[in-house]
Amino acid sequence: MYPHGYRYTNDHEWIHPEGDKGRVGITDYAQKQLGDVVFVELPEVGRVLKAGEQFGTVESVKAVSELYSPVAGEVVEVNDALVQKPEAINKDPHGAAWMIVLRVADPAGVNALLDAAAYEALVASEAR
């Protein structure tokens, strides 16, 4: 259900490593918990983030949730289309609804995150 080759956090963000960069978003589980997304706030290109640092927010009809960087790195791209159409998060959270691209500071940080099987086990335990 969750793409293999991606890495996941306990806070339900994902990163898809692409060379020295990584595309970041929230998981399908996270978007389902939020409900209909109506607004997203993303950082400026050039911002340097620490692992676990808040980089934005996503607002739904139910709640506002913080977004946390899965690894340390510099924001090199922001999905501006998502700001215009935040509902895309509900339709394609692991694809077109990516949020930022990071230039990863330490690739070992990516490897330390959950793989798809471990993330699915986490989601199953939270669903109980």
Side-chain angles (χ1 to χ4, degrees):
M1 174 168 172
Y2 293 92
H4 292 274
Y6 285 37
R7 298 302 241 176
Y8 302 88
T9 70
N10 292 330
D11 293 320
H12 309 291
E13 283 89 16
W14 56 260
I15 183 166
H16 181 221
E18 302 166 350
D20 68 340
K21 297 181 183 138
R23 200 168 294 271
V24 176
I26 65 170
T27 66
D28 185 57
Y29 177 81
Q31 71 82 17
K32 283 179 181 166
Q33 296 301 306
L34 285 166
D36 293 336
V37 175
V38 295
F39 179 77
V40 64
E41 179 182 30
L42 299 172
E44 296 288 320
V45 168
R47 181 163 166 203
V48 176
L49 298 167
K50 296 178 181 132
E53 183 177 350
Q54 182 180 335
F55 71 80
T57 57
V58 61
E59 186 175 332
S60 72
V61 293
K62 292 200 275 186
V64 176
S65 293
E66 288 79 29
L67 301 167
Y68 300 100
S69 183
V71 295
E74 178 187 354
V75 178
V76 294
E77 195 176 340
V78 174
N79 189 350
D80 290 325
L82 207 53
V83 175
Q84 303 301 315
K85 293 184 133 270
E87 64 274 11
I89 293 169
N90 296 117
K91 295 177 178 71
D92 191 11
H94 298 125
W98 61 273
M99 297 176 172
I100 60 174
V101 175
L102 291 175
R103 180 172 293 112
V104 177
D106 180 9
V110 174
N111 295 332
L113 298 171
L114 303 172
D115 64 13
Y119 183 72
E120 286 174 15
L122 172 72
V123 168
S125 72
E126 289 188 8
R128 286 187 209 137

